[in-house]
Amino acid sequence: MMSESNGSSRRDQDQDQDLGLYFLETCKGREMKNKEEEEDEDEAPKELNTINSSGGFAVVSTDKLSVKYTCVNLHGHDVGVIQANKPAPTKRLIYYFEIHVKDAGVKGQIAIGFTSETFKMRRQPGWEANSCGYHGDDGLLYRGHGKGEAFGPTYTSGDVVGAGINYAAQEFFFTKNGQVVGSVYKDMKGPLFPTIAVHSQNEEVHVNFGQKPFTFDLKEFEAQERMKQQLKIEEISVPPNVSYGIVRSYLLHYGYEDTLNSFDVASKSTVPPIYIAQESGIDEQEITYALNHRKTLRQLIRNGDIDVAFGKLREWYPPIVEDNTSAICFLLHCQKFIELVRVGALEEAVKYGRIELSSFYDLPVFKDLVQDCVALLAYERPLESSVGYLLKDSQREVVADTVNAMILSTNPNMKDSKHCLHSYLERLLRQLTACCLERRSLNGEQGEAFHLQRVLGSGRRG
Amino acid sequence: MDLDPRQYDNVAINDNDIHSIVLSYLIHNCYKESVESFIACTGTKQPSDYLEDMDKRKRIFHFALEGNALKAIELTEQLAQNILENNKDLQFDLLSLHFVELVCSRKCTEALEFAQTKLGPFGKETKYMEKLEDFMALLAYNEPEKSPMFHLLSLEYRQQVADSLNRAILAHLNLPSYTAMEKLIQQATVVRQCLSQEAGKDGPPSFSLKDFLKS
């Protein structure tokens, strides 16, 4: 790659630096990102809240799992209403809880539902704005007005009634004795507290926040919800041969020449002879470039033959390694150091580090990796240490990927240098992840976290 | 990259996930040597049950692809008993492949007989009746390749049937019948669609796979 003038050569070098630096950054991020993906379980309610309950109309048991109306009710503002101690957790598909009506008392004016933090704790859930409640005496659903809407059956002593939030469908739903009674759209925002209420003499209700098995088959319901989403997805027809194109371009991009050859032989009979590469728009020309060289270098690096790799690069692509302070040279030197540690040649590693790595020690971009590399020397069993990740194959992959990208960048026909970084497959995967995250944030962070394995492993068997 | 740039570049991709996606495609299509080569080149963990009947599936797939439906049916019965009994659509499609073979080899009397004995019984149901009529129409032409139903003679059609058969067999063997790759494409499309709808005018434009692959 000849540079025309000083100016353009520096620009080319900058661009190449960028590619090298990109992989350097991903090095650090790799271990950390995977841990971040694990979801924090937001805490679920476990018992009733006795602190904010209405003034003495009802009595809560000592285990905080049941409530009894002890007075004689006189009007509409002496409801014995009580919330759970925590709001419903949102980072899951569905939240659900149940009540068992021990005693419907004189009038059976029991209710179950959800209320907001600022709910007036003397009213039935559903009688005030920003609350909803399914009432046992009339079987109506109240959603913020005094007037309820026809919803389901009434319920009384001995019944088990459940209330749930379906975050996927953004709905409230209710059950009676294990059967779904109905559901409505949830337009309440913000934290929602599971709420129960009693309002006539001797009413007594026990609540189940999951400490006992539910009467309703929640698992089955969740499975059905997932199936609904799944069916929507399976309706999308995938154009034939797109998968083929994406896989082939992946193999080409990363220089898996041997696999590619087997692949081409095997697929010859199954893919129509006039391969629709152009039709699906995948430009293979860019990534076929220097296939054999890239394959060779990847093999060398995967085997830890860094010296030979350096040699080949100097022979085939001198501009890539001519600047010894570039990110790519840095990565290769680090890898050489790591390989020496791996075979236990610690003295040689120290010597090598002094010659090749010391100049990077003070540079902010390179500092972290150098420190981690040097830290390897401190441990008798470095693989088990916090810097053990450097000894894994994944680290060799990073270096191999960097070299791969650098070689691709020397292709004079490369349209966009970003194409060197990732194949279509990764870009598609990123699209999916980013979109799922975006969608969840639009939903106020409610709903299940994005787990790639579940997404790609799910679906009907047949 | 036509998605909101805020999220895009920060998304970390796990190499193992990528490798599994590629592997699932190779296994689905019975590319045994490619699977072995890929595992060797990338150091991916070998999936436990991938060899399961892969050779048999491959043979069945190829027979169906060539149009040798009877052989495909025979081997399918050996590998996965009764799946054709339980999947009438598939059974019809496979039998129709044989019919097409006979038509293409100009064995018209045999084709007619075959149609009457094997395909005819399906005709009691409307959905098969229409298909049946299309196939029978092929007999009316001296050169069926030039008839309006020529697509029934095509490699694409055979590929479709072979695909369905492969998926049914995979399901029977308790393996995924859709590759992770296909699910990825479907999921990406649906989520993008939902995002466009939900975010309204602030959201990204509708997803087009074609445009994405050109970008």
Side-chain angles (χ1 to χ4, degrees):
Chain A
M1 197 167 79
M2 301 289 285
S3 51
E4 265 109 38
S5 69
N6 260 339
S8 80
S9 118
R10 203 174 308 128
R11 199 176 49 239
D12 288 335
Q13 257 190 9
D14 283 346
Q15 225 180 34
D16 295 347
Q17 262 297 48
D18 285 344
L19 285 180
L21 285 174
Y22 171 83
F23 283 98
L24 197 53
E25 291 297 309
T26 61
C27 230
K28 280 184 280 181
R30 218 162 262 249
E31 281 292 301
M32 288 169 7
K33 280 281 175 20
N34 289 333
K35 290 196 189 95
E36 269 170 33
E37 270 164 28
E38 281 162 33
E39 267 293 299
D40 288 324
E41 251 292 302
D42 42 357
E43 280 192 57
K46 295 238 173 57
E47 57 193 23
L48 296 170
N49 181 347
T50 47
I51 301 177
N52 73 339
S53 52
S54 42
F57 301 127
V59 168
V60 178
S61 60
T62 39
D63 66 0
K64 300 196 188 172
L65 291 173
S66 54
V67 63
K68 194 167 177 172
Y69 196 81
T70 43
C71 316
V72 178
N73 68 334
L74 300 170
H75 48 72
H77 286 261
D78 58 1
V79 179
V81 63
I82 188 144
Q83 291 175 328
N85 67 333
K86 288 202 187 349
T90 56
K91 294 198 190 325
R92 53 174 76 176
L93 187 63
I94 295 176
Y95 173 73
Y96 180 77
F97 76 105
E98 278 182 346
I99 58 170
H100 169 224
V101 182
K102 190 88 199 301
D103 189 344
V106 172
K107 295 191 195 160
Q109 289 170 331
I110 296 160
I112 181 176
F114 294 93
T115 58
S116 65
E117 201 153 6
T118 52
F119 186 69
K120 283 204 190 82
M121 298 299 286
R122 295 161 163 265
R123 306 277 285 158
Q124 287 278 14
W127 282 357
E128 299 290 314
N130 241 10
S131 70
C132 90
Y134 172 37
H135 292 200
D137 57 351
D138 52 16
L140 301 182
L141 183 71
Y142 291 78
R143 287 201 280 166
H145 316 294
K147 219 163 124 57
E149 49 201 75
F151 186 68
T154 57
Y155 52 89
T156 183
S157 310
D159 286 330
V160 174
V161 185
I165 306 177
N166 179 343
Y167 291 109
Q170 288 287 298
E171 285 180 347
F172 290 122
F173 68 97
F174 296 87
T175 68
K176 177 184 173 186
N177 295 332
Q179 301 288 325
V180 173
V181 161
S183 60
V184 288
Y185 182 65
K186 168 179 99 72
D187 47 14
M188 287 164 62
K189 303 267 182 269
L192 298 174
F193 287 81
T195 308
I196 59 180
V198 286
H199 197 206
S200 74
Q201 199 174 15
N202 294 330
E203 282 177 24
E204 187 181 342
V205 162
H206 295 204
V207 69
N208 179 1
F209 288 122
Q211 68 270 17
K212 295 186 301 196
F214 293 126
T215 301
F216 175 63
D217 192 344
L218 184 62
K219 290 255 176 300
E220 177 59 31
F221 187 68
E222 280 178 345
Q224 282 173 6
E225 272 308 299
R226 290 215 175 88
M227 185 54 66
K228 261 192 252 168
Q229 292 183 343
Q230 192 52 37
L231 288 177
K232 202 163 61 152
I233 287 163
E234 283 174 10
E235 277 167 22
I236 303 289
S237 65
V238 177
N241 302 328
V242 166
S243 301
Y244 170 83
I246 293 178
V247 170
R248 191 159 196 277
S249 76
Y250 176 83
L251 297 174
L252 273 172
H253 185 105
Y254 287 100
Y256 294 121
E257 195 182 22
D258 295 333
T259 311
L260 188 63
N261 290 336
S262 304
F263 185 71
D264 282 342
V265 167
S267 58
K268 202 164 45 172
S269 48
T270 53
V271 179
I274 311 161
Y275 168 51
I276 324 166
Q278 283 72 45
E279 199 180 278
S280 53
I282 298 179
D283 184 351
E284 288 197 347
Q285 194 280 328
E286 282 187 348
I287 45 182
T288 316
Y289 174 80
L291 183 58
N292 189 269
H293 283 177
R294 290 186 287 118
K295 171 201 117 169
T296 307
L297 279 158
R298 180 175 290 277
Q299 275 177 343
L300 287 169
I301 295 170
R302 287 204 75 235
N303 290 332
D305 284 329
I306 307 299
D307 289 331
V308 182
F310 252 126
K312 293 287 183 206
L313 278 171
R314 283 189 198 109
E315 187 188 327
W316 293 332
Y317 302 98
I320 294 181
V321 285
E322 102 196 315
D323 176 5
N324 208 31
T325 62
S326 63
I328 176 69
C329 285
F330 171 67
L331 278 171
L332 284 164
H333 286 310
C334 281
Q335 195 59 34
K336 171 81 191 161
F337 179 90
I338 292 169
E339 297 301 333
L340 288 169
V341 171
R342 189 197 302 277
V343 297
L346 298 184
E347 270 185 38
E348 214 183 313
V350 170
K351 241 195 307 194
Y352 191 84
R354 286 216 185 105
I355 302 172
E356 300 291 359
L357 295 182
S358 52
S359 49
F360 294 104
Y361 219 78
D362 291 323
L363 298 174
V365 167
F366 302 128
K367 196 169 64 162
D368 288 335
L369 187 54
V370 170
Q371 284 182 346
D372 279 359
C373 285
V374 172
L376 281 171
L377 294 170
Y379 301 94
E380 238 180 58
R381 285 203 285 261
L383 197 54
E384 293 164 26
S385 70
S386 62
V387 289
Y389 74 94
L390 290 172
L391 290 168
K392 296 207 179 118
D393 275 348
S394 49
Q395 189 59 25
R396 284 172 169 171
E397 286 296 316
V398 171
V399 180
D401 287 347
T402 314
V403 168
N404 191 63
M406 298 298 285
I407 297 177
L408 281 174
S409 72
T410 65
N411 182 357
N413 293 329
M414 179 64 72
K415 281 183 261 160
D416 182 346
S417 69
K418 277 212 164 136
H419 287 183
C420 305
L421 291 175
H422 289 297
S423 70
Y424 288 107
L425 180 51
E426 280 109 338
R427 282 189 261 161
L428 192 55
L429 196 49
R430 277 178 155 184
Q431 277 267 344
L432 176 60
T433 310
C435 286
C436 284
L437 292 175
E438 180 84 9
R439 219 174 139 229
R440 185 148 169 243
S441 90
L442 275 184
N443 236 5
E445 296 301 333
Q446 293 179 357
E448 281 184 310
F450 172 70
H451 283 300
L452 185 63
Q453 284 314 314
R454 183 169 54 221
V455 155
L456 296 183
S458 64
R460 309 184 283 237
R461 305 281 198 194
Chain B
M1 264 61 83
D2 51 349
L3 175 67
D4 181 356
R6 286 175 302 181
Q7 297 273 20
Y8 201 77
D9 282 331
N10 295 333
V11 175
I13 296 294
N14 188 325
D15 272 348
N16 287 331
D17 292 333
I18 296 288
H19 293 163
S20 326
I21 294 173
V22 174
L23 265 182
S24 92
Y25 177 85
L26 297 176
I27 291 172
H28 182 102
N29 289 292
C30 309
Y31 295 156
K32 188 164 137 204
E33 287 78 23
S34 305
V35 171
E36 286 165 355
S37 172
F38 188 70
I39 289 177
C41 292
T42 59
T44 315
K45 212 174 54 151
Q46 196 167 324
S48 46
D49 50 5
Y50 84 97
L51 260 186
E52 198 80 35
D53 304 312
M54 197 193 274
D55 286 326
K56 293 188 188 145
R57 264 199 304 127
K58 185 172 172 180
R59 292 184 70 211
I60 294 173
F61 187 83
H62 278 276
F63 279 126
L65 202 60
E66 290 164 18
N68 190 343
L70 293 183
K71 191 73 187 168
I73 292 174
E74 180 195 324
L75 292 177
T76 305
E77 284 297 310
Q78 285 174 10
L79 176 58
Q81 278 173 349
N82 295 330
I83 58 169
L84 292 179
E85 294 287 299
N86 298 334
N87 193 336
K88 289 292 175 193
D89 282 354
L90 188 53
Q91 197 179 31
F92 180 84
D93 287 341
L94 279 169
L95 291 171
S96 69
L97 276 190
H98 182 69
F99 175 80
V100 165
E101 263 297 283
L102 293 171
V103 167
C104 288
S105 352
R106 305 289 190 259
K107 296 184 181 145
C108 292
T109 340
E110 233 183 290
L112 192 52
E113 209 190 306
F114 181 79
Q116 283 174 341
T117 47
K118 297 288 183 184
L119 295 177
F122 285 90
K124 295 190 194 105
E125 290 178 60
T126 346
K127 64 170 169 171
Y128 295 123
M129 198 161 67
E130 288 170 9
K131 283 190 185 179
L132 193 50
E133 283 170 13
D134 281 347
F135 281 105
M136 297 311 289
L138 288 169
L139 283 174
Y141 294 84
N142 264 336
E143 287 171 293
E145 305 83 34
K146 303 214 175 118
S147 73
M149 267 70 63
F150 69 94
H151 65 277
L152 297 172
L153 306 168
S154 68
L155 175 61
E156 275 81 35
Y157 179 69
R158 294 201 294 280
Q159 211 169 4
Q160 227 179 301
V161 177
D163 251 353
S164 305
L165 181 54
N166 190 32
R167 292 190 210 276
I169 294 174
L170 284 163
H172 177 91
L173 297 173
N174 246 342
L175 294 169
S177 25
Y178 287 85
T179 60
M181 175 75 79
E182 285 162 307
K183 288 180 197 155
L184 172 58
I185 295 171
Q186 287 171 324
Q187 285 268 355
T189 310
V190 169
V191 173
R192 269 294 291 265
Q193 278 173 357
C194 289
L195 202 52
S196 300
Q197 283 167 5
E198 288 164 19
K201 54 179 162 53
D202 292 328
S206 267
F207 184 65
S208 152
L209 186 61
K210 260 200 172 146
D211 292 341
F212 171 77
L213 293 173
K214 285 200 175 80
S215 69

